[in-house]
Amino acid sequence: MLNKGLRDEEKIRIDNVLKTLRTLIFVPYPLNALQKTEIENQLKEFGLNLKNLIDFSNEDLITFLIRFSFDWEQLEQFADILVEFSKTENYNLDNKALAVYQYIQAESKVFSFGINTKIASLKNK
């Protein structure tokens, strides 16, 4: 278990990578090669790449992210990124995002209308 100082540093680092990923993926057009390379570089900060992100089972991805010390908010942000990346690049990561949202809803012990809406939206696609 990380001590408080290290945990805070890790949270800041994860937040910064998620912010960068979010700005790279939330674009209204298909990504170019340079943008995809930058996304790969950001994913490497988490020990991921596009191939293993796609190849991971839903459960393995969640376990991986939890082991990497993602908190509930960071898990939600990562799932949001998966949804948007699926729209931009036609990857089918919606099922992984759905699994992450459902995990958050079940395990956080707090009901979130926002997450519940995201789950319903993905189920109705």
Side-chain angles (χ1 to χ4, degrees):
M1 196 77 174
L2 298 174
N3 69 35
K4 175 134 175 61
L6 289 177
R7 202 172 37 234
D8 290 345
E9 287 177 23
E10 186 65 6
K11 179 176 178 18
I12 291 167
R13 190 180 77 72
I14 291 170
D15 285 341
N16 288 336
V17 173
L18 288 171
K19 284 177 192 173
T20 302
L21 274 172
R22 188 163 240 174
T23 60
L24 290 169
I25 291 173
F26 284 95
V27 292
Y29 49 85
L31 300 171
N32 63 37
L34 183 61
Q35 290 168 313
K36 287 181 186 177
T37 301
E38 184 59 27
I39 289 169
E40 284 275 0
N41 289 338
Q42 292 301 312
L43 287 173
K44 284 179 188 173
E45 292 290 322
F46 299 140
L48 290 169
N49 60 41
L50 288 174
K51 181 177 177 356
N52 64 20
L53 180 62
I54 292 165
D55 291 345
F56 267 147
S57 72
N58 296 347
E59 296 77 21
D60 289 344
L61 178 61
I62 292 167
T63 301
F64 182 86
L65 295 173
I66 295 300
R67 251 188 281 153
F68 208 85
S69 303
F70 275 57
D71 63 21
W72 303 122
E73 182 180 325
Q74 292 165 334
L75 284 170
E76 181 179 1
Q77 289 176 29
F78 191 79
D80 293 345
I81 289 167
L82 293 177
V83 170
E84 288 303 315
F85 192 60
S86 294
K87 290 177 189 174
T88 305
E89 288 301 308
N90 295 321
Y91 288 113
N92 187 9
L93 300 173
D94 287 347
N95 60 341
K96 291 183 185 337
L98 177 61
V100 173
Y101 291 138
Q102 289 173 327
Y103 175 82
I104 295 166
Q105 194 75 306
E107 297 299 321
S108 70
K109 309 292 190 244
V110 176
F111 182 81
S112 165
F113 286 107
I115 293 197
N116 197 47
T117 301
K118 291 174 184 182
I119 290 171
S121 174
L122 285 172
K123 283 184 175 181
N124 291 329
K125 277 190 172 185

